[in-house]
Amino acid sequence: MAATLQGKRIAFLAADGVEEVEYTKPREAVENAGARVELVSLKPGSIQSFNHLDRSNQYPVDVTTKEADVGAYDALVLPGGVANPDFLRTDPEAVRFVRSFFDAGKPVGVICHGPWTLVEADVVRGRRLTSWPSLRTDLTNAGATWVDEAVVTDHGLVSSRKPGDLLAFCSKIVEEFAEGKH
């Protein structure tokens, strides 16, 4: 797995309230596989991560959604946390950024509450995915088929439920990102 993503550039889209382990573990996995990672967010500076409901570390933002060029990236990761996707889904530039990955057929990884942004981008209709259980109704109402599984892959979209699924999620995003466009 050491160089399977060599030469690939992966965007991580996150805002304040991101669940730290859902940002750090997938980032570590794709970097260990050789990818270059950039943190994309709503504003310059840094984002505040959380460990469940407790503040954790801050992470520097590389580029804002307004400045980010989807064409420069090979894949996208949307970590969870309750506040993070809620901030993202209310920002038109973030929603546009996410939708553009789907329009281009590029692989996307999403975990926990992250699919809220996918719902807003209107990209889950007809897809099979999983999430934190409280998103089931939102995803179903948006046209997705929700399942309770550790990791689900649907034409380049990799989804997982929670931090306990990170081993499976990380392994699967590296595999899907290595495959490229779907």
Side-chain angles (χ1 to χ4, degrees):
M1 179 157 106
T4 58
L5 298 180
Q6 198 66 43
K8 302 249 184 201
R9 192 169 166 200
I10 313 299
F12 275 67
L13 177 61
D16 289 333
V18 66
E19 183 70 26
E20 184 169 51
V21 71
E22 293 174 4
Y23 169 65
T24 58
K25 290 299 181 185
R27 181 175 179 140
E28 180 181 292
V30 298
E31 285 178 334
N32 285 345
R36 179 176 160 212
V37 172
E38 289 188 357
L39 176 57
V40 180
S41 194
L42 306 177
K43 59 186 179 7
S46 62
I47 61 169
Q48 176 66 58
S49 72
F50 278 72
N51 180 6
H52 192 52
L53 297 175
D54 298 320
R55 285 182 186 266
S56 192
N57 296 302
Q58 291 192 1
Y59 294 92
V61 171
D62 295 304
V63 64
T64 66
T65 51
K66 191 174 253 183
E67 302 164 333
D69 174 16
V70 172
Y73 300 103
D74 297 291
L76 170 67
V77 176
L78 291 162
V82 178
N84 166 51
D86 202 45
F87 288 133
L88 295 175
R89 71 181 176 165
T90 60
D91 184 86
E93 289 297 326
V95 172
R96 176 204 53 80
F97 186 72
V98 169
R99 188 179 304 116
S100 296
F101 279 86
F102 287 85
D103 291 345
K106 294 180 179 184
V108 174
V110 63
I111 188 166
C112 203
H113 288 79
W116 267 338
T117 309
L118 301 183
V119 168
E120 193 65 35
D122 194 23
V123 295
V124 299
R125 190 173 320 284
R127 290 187 175 267
R128 183 176 176 270
L129 68 154
T130 194
S131 67
W132 184 255
S134 66
L135 275 67
R136 178 182 186 165
T137 300
D138 297 333
L139 289 165
T140 302
N141 287 343
T145 299
W146 186 89
V147 295
D148 186 14
E149 296 175 15
V151 67
V152 176
T153 305
D154 184 320
H155 295 88
L157 173 61
V158 179
S159 58
S160 281
R161 303 169 298 190
K162 59 189 176 185
D165 298 333
L166 277 166
L167 274 177
F169 178 71
C170 291
S171 175
K172 195 52 139 172
I173 62 171
V174 168
E175 179 184 322
E176 288 296 309
F177 292 0
E179 288 178 14
K181 288 186 178 183
H182 285 71

